[in-house]
Amino acid sequence: QVQLVESGGGLVQPGGSLRLSCAASGSISSFAVMAWYRQAPGKQRELVAAITRGGRTNYVNSVKGRFTISRNNAENTVYLQMDSLKPEDTAVYYCNADQGIGPGPGERSSWGQGTQVTVSS
């Protein structure tokens, strides 16, 4: 229902910061939940951060206090500010737009193509 394009990934040293952007082709307010997922080499895809239409946020414990998800409805863009990055944060990060009906992304969820984040010294 919407096309999502992630950007902002790259190579950063441990302790550094990156700001990921997810630009949507349509109104992100049409979705109950906007979220960032990541998939590291050899690991399952996991939810990193989510933000509801009402502004409530949720984070996986490993990033709590370091990552901040936000959205700009006027710009149809979702952001993930990543601070104090660790090598364990290395992964492909995906943006997701979901109706929020059930747990996890639903059948009608929209996904971006992903952006690579590499944290290495």
Side-chain angles (χ1 to χ4, degrees), residues 16-77:
S17 297
L18 285 174
R19 181 177 169 90
L20 305 184
S21 297
C22 172
S25 63
S27 176
I28 61 173
S29 64
S30 298
F31 300 91
V33 181
M34 299 295 297
W36 287 94
Y37 290 77
R38 68 185 180 187
Q39 187 160 20
K43 294 186 176 181
Q44 298 287 332
R45 181 183 63 188
E46 68 172 347
L47 174 67
V48 178
I51 184 167
T52 69
R53 191 149 45 203
R56 180 173 58 85
T57 59
N58 185 53
Y59 302 90
V60 67
N61 286 338
S62 61
V63 309
K64 189 170 295 185
R66 300 189 296 118
F67 290 10
T68 303
I69 187 172
S70 63
R71 65 184 187 189
N72 187 322
N73 291 340
E75 298 294 329
N76 292 324
T77 303

